[in-house]
Amino acid sequence: MQAVKGEGNNMGEKVLNVAVVGAGYWGKNLVRNFATADRCRLKYVCDLDEKLLAVHKRNFPAVEVSKDVDEVLRDEQIDAVVIAVEVPSHFEIARKSLQAGKHTFVEKPLTLKSSESRQLVKDADERGLKLMVGHLLEYHSAVTYIKGLIDAGGLGRPYYMYTQRVNLGIVRKDENAWWSLAPHDISVICYLFDSRPVSVAARGQSFLQEDVEDVVFATVKFDDGKMAHIHCSWLDPHKIRKMTVVGSEKMVTFDDMQASEKVRIWDKGAAIKKDTEAGYPEIISLRFGDIVIPKIAATEPLALECKHFINGVLDGEPIRSDGGDGLKVVQVLEAGQRSLDNNGEPIELEYYK
Ligand SMILES: NC(=O)c1ccc[n+]([C@@H]2O[C@H](COP(=O)([O-])OP(=O)(O)OC[C@H]3O[C@@H](n4cnc5c(N)ncnc54)[C@H](O)[C@@H]3O)[C@@H](O)[C@H]2O)c1
């Protein structure tokens, strides 16, 4: 892996020199987090919009600002580039960043095409650079808790899960609700299940703008028989950020709209009982047990995500949402889009062909 060039801090620790490219609606959160993170120095904020740059300069006077991404990439002191520009520009800027030898963090989805994501993974591997995708939910402490629970067998065998990510707005023009909202759900489903998605069937409808779906209902099937359903929309009266995982022994829900007590573990299940000795037919017994609400620390997921990137680069630790993870999510998005374009026909993922 490439060594970082930054000087140490006053505690003698290595420090990562970072540039954030794209400092708009979401990028400003990345600017705030990288400007205040340990073992990190935010050297540049880069955006085409001078007014935005002036705001960031006022908030963080020590940061240099620039409208020119090439100028930032030429700076040899910069170890890592964080990209939060509009999705169609992800590939071009991320490729330039990797070619300039910078560890690269790209907002979700990694790219608009899986061929582009594959190229970025190759570029990073060839140069020994870290490539990370902003799959924010993979860093949410509630998701970390649920992952531990599932991996420890706390739900029994996971059967299926479903997610709801609906609200009124933000209505995008250059991407539909599937590409804008579902990356979070797809990434967290793949993370929790640790299984390979094999097919996607998606139906949606465009009401506000031609050929830009406002609402999508999608079903993803996995190679080991698991199933997931995703409902995403920016045209809905409710603000729901919820997921439910159903296992053979227990079930778990995660409601991100709750201020606290976001996770509930339901001791509920169904089992087929056979009493062959007595000669009775099979019966399905239902179990209605306790609901447990675990105590989970509430840390800003974005702070944890940024810390993970900094530690990954400085300490050479593996990146959870790495380029391969980003590629998988883009493959599911692409298959879902093909299904949307073909009236909900199930589409097999390309890597199976
Ligand atoms: N993780 C999350 O929860 C989350 C939430 C919202 C958006 N996002 C992602 O963040 C990214 C940005 O979305 P947004 O809503 O902030 O968009 P935005 O339009 O508000 O911001 C994009 C910014 O990039 C700047 N930009 C564009 N091209 C540039 C270039 N060549 N050089 C420098 N700056 C350039 C624009 O001037 C703009 O300020 C997208 O990838 C989006 O998917 C992630």
Side-chain angles (χ1 to χ4, degrees):
M1 204 192 75
Q2 290 231 351
V4 296
K5 300 163 207 90
E7 295 157 17
N9 61 11
N10 54 12
M11 292 166 73
E13 293 173 319
K14 274 251 171 72
V15 165
L16 192 71
N17 280 308
V18 171
V20 172
V21 179
Y25 166 74
W26 190 249
K28 68 176 182 311
N29 299 321
L30 290 159
V31 167
R32 172 174 52 80
N33 271 286
F34 281 105
T36 53
D38 289 340
R39 302 209 295 161
C40 178
R41 173 184 167 224
L42 179 63
K43 184 169 184 200
Y44 277 107
V45 174
C46 173
D47 201 289
L48 301 175
D49 184 335
E50 277 179 11
K51 282 192 196 137
L52 275 180
L53 291 179
V55 172
H56 290 301
K57 185 75 189 168
R58 206 163 46 238
N59 291 341
F60 301 102
V63 168
E64 292 175 41
V65 291
S66 171
K67 285 173 73 178
D68 180 4
V69 67
D70 294 316
E71 178 196 27
V72 172
L73 294 178
R74 275 195 301 274
D75 185 332
E76 293 207 339
Q77 272 199 336
I78 292 293
D79 304 302
V81 174
V82 175
I83 300 167
V85 298
E86 294 86 350
V87 183
S89 306
H90 282 188
F91 176 63
E92 189 199 332
I93 297 183
R95 186 129 209 244
K96 273 193 197 178
S97 167
L98 291 166
Q99 285 174 341
K102 315 295 186 193
H103 302 283
T104 302
F105 173 123
V106 188
E107 256 315 320
K108 56 82 204 164
L110 180 52
T111 58
L112 281 177
K113 293 183 188 155
S114 54
S115 55
E116 295 172 342
S117 290
R118 219 172 272 118
Q119 182 64 56
L120 294 182
V121 171
K122 189 164 170 267
D123 289 342
D125 285 351
E126 280 172 2
R127 291 169 176 79
L129 294 167
K130 296 284 187 190
L131 172 62
M132 172 158 159
V133 192
H135 291 161
L136 183 66
L137 266 188
E138 291 188 40
Y139 300 91
H140 197 301
S141 44
V143 170
T144 305
Y145 180 90
I146 294 171
K147 174 73 175 159
L149 182 73
I150 292 176
D151 288 356
L155 298 186
R157 191 157 64 85
Y159 284 153
Y160 74 93
M161 67 182 284
Y162 59 96
T163 62
Q164 294 154 289
R165 184 171 302 279
V166 302
N167 192 19
L168 189 61
I170 303 168
V171 178
R172 305 248 172 197
K173 286 195 169 79
D174 49 8
E175 56 182 346
N176 60 17
W178 174 243
W179 282 85
S180 177
L181 303 173
H184 290 304
D185 301 295
I186 298 166
S187 67
V188 85
I189 290 165
C190 292
Y191 176 56
L192 291 179
F193 276 176
D194 205 11
S195 314
R196 266 166 87 90
V198 287
S199 73
V200 187
R203 277 184 170 269
Q205 198 68 274
S206 314
F207 298 103
L208 303 177
Q209 307 166 87
E210 205 175 324
D211 291 335
V212 181
E213 284 84 357
D214 307 293
V215 55
V216 174
F217 299 88
T219 305
V220 184
K221 292 219 168 180
F222 292 83
D223 57 353
D224 53 4
K226 293 189 192 99
M227 191 182 98
H229 187 267
I230 299 165
H231 171 200
C232 54
S233 170
W234 55 47
L235 188 58
D236 197 285
H238 310 285
K239 179 157 184 164
I240 307 178
R241 298 275 181 273
K242 203 167 177 181
M243 67 175 67
T244 303
V245 189
V246 174
S248 58
E249 304 297 326
K250 289 187 185 174
M251 306 174 187
V252 63
T253 51
F254 164 35
D255 185 350
D256 208 7
M257 293 313 297
Q258 297 297 325
S260 60
E261 304 185 352
K262 290 173 187 267
V263 174
R264 281 165 194 251
I265 304 160
W266 307 70
D267 185 11
K268 286 188 169 191
I272 299 218
K273 281 203 175 150
K274 290 182 185 175
D275 194 349
T276 40
E277 268 181 34
Y280 293 124
E282 290 176 349
I283 54 158
I284 297 177
S285 75
L286 303 178
R287 197 183 61 261
F288 298 86
D290 292 338
I291 300 167
V292 173
I293 303 174
K295 189 169 187 309
I296 299 171
T299 311
E300 185 188 6
L302 190 58
L304 296 172
E305 186 183 55
C306 296
K307 188 174 164 194
H308 185 83
F309 180 64
I310 294 164
N311 292 348
V313 175
L314 289 177
D315 304 335
E317 287 171 11
I319 299 284
R320 187 177 306 156
S321 54
D322 63 4
D325 195 33
L327 168 62
K328 190 173 8 173
V329 169
V330 173
Q331 284 171 315
V332 173
L333 288 167
E334 263 180 352
Q337 186 61 51
R338 279 183 55 207
S339 179
L340 282 171
D341 297 341
N342 287 280
N343 246 333
E345 184 191 327
I347 301 293
E348 275 181 51
L349 263 77
E350 289 291 337
Y351 52 70
Y352 281 90
K353 293 197 174 145

